[in-house]
Amino acid sequence: MNFSRAAKCNFQFLYNRLSTASVTQSGHGYATWACRVPCIADYKEVNASLASSSTARQMFMRSFSAEVSASEQMNLIKLLRERTSAPIKEVKSALVACNWDIETAQTALRKKGVALASKKSSRSATEGLLALAQNDNKAAVIELNCETDFVARNEIFQYLALSLAKIALSVESSAEQVSTPFSLASEYLEGLKVNLDHPKLSGEATVQSVITEVAAMVGENVKLRRGYTISKTSNGVISSYLHTSPQPGLGRLAGILTLEVEDENTPLDALARVGSELAMHIVAAKPLFISREDVSSEALESERDILKSQAEATGKPPMAIEKMVEGRMRKYMEEVVLMEQKFIVNDAINIKTLIGDLSKEVGVPVKVGNFFRMEVGEGIQRAETSSAADVVAQAA
């Protein structure tokens, strides 16, 4: 009797489960649908609708399958990871939650990634790369930051950096902006449109939205910090050098300068040769001014006061102090003025002598039009520890 009651109870429970048209969740993370079709004609309608769409047919068949096979799961995980670059754990969780529908899972990951990227945006990003793009008349360099050098080696991060440099190069410059290195505000660049063609990143979008998407992919704060352009004002060459370069157009330090001549018929091969060496010199020697005349009187007075205070601390007589100050001022000029610096390739001459020899070689006067040096992360630590006013002043 007890066996009969138990069997009747179990059969009743089984009947109730089978007769309920609802979604049931298995322990494997897939879903099956219990469905009752009242007549054969309804089955024919379903088949006709599925025959017109292979995607719908696959989804229909999967919904009735008892389980997504282990090999298919691995293929879906691999494919979705290739599409999104998300961690394997996140990829699998998204697929399980979306019943192994890869399109829905990809959308869910992107939504989650954007949320994660916004949370990471307050974290310090001091690593990254400089990206350079140039043509015959103009060069542009941008700094794209991340949190670790591991991400800076990421292929999609590097692709984004190079794409942003090309966008910066396309920005039109006015006559006033051509004469000196021109700063491109990151806010301005972020609002521009970029058209990408990459397996993991394609289509047209704003720079800011693409940066947010890449941040979600790599799992770190990614930030476009700054950009600059530099142009020729007359006939000549634009030369550049990138140090610690993982691939052409990328590096951690950049030196750019223009060598200019008035005569349009001047051969440019010699200028290009010397320009490449000077761009490398700028990275190594860190000049601040082109010539003595470019050093402001305020900078000279400030440096003189500092050197005088240091000399007076030695306790020497005033005449000796004055000689010490003058000697140190000459050394200061050799350190910060490009034309006064010793040439790193041949320290027997300075840059002024090098330019003079180049002028004799090409038969016309050659001048350094302008130059620019940039380094990943420079000034970030100082900006973080200084007051808000100092940060605003530095950004200006």
Side-chain angles (χ1 to χ4, degrees), residues 234-256:
S234 64
N235 189 53
V237 298
I238 295 181
S239 298
S240 60
Y241 170 74
L242 288 165
H243 190 66
T244 317
S245 178
Q247 63 169 296
L250 297 173
R252 288 186 56 84
L253 296 98
I256 309 170

Side-chain angles (χ1 to χ4, degrees), residues 26 42 56 77 213 237 277 280-281 292 319 328 355 364 393:
S26 77
D42 291 336
I77 290 172
E213 188 167 350
V237 298
E277 294 177 340
M280 183 169 58
H281 171 93
R292 286 176 175 264
M319 186 174 295
R328 291 178 180 178
I355 296 297
V364 294

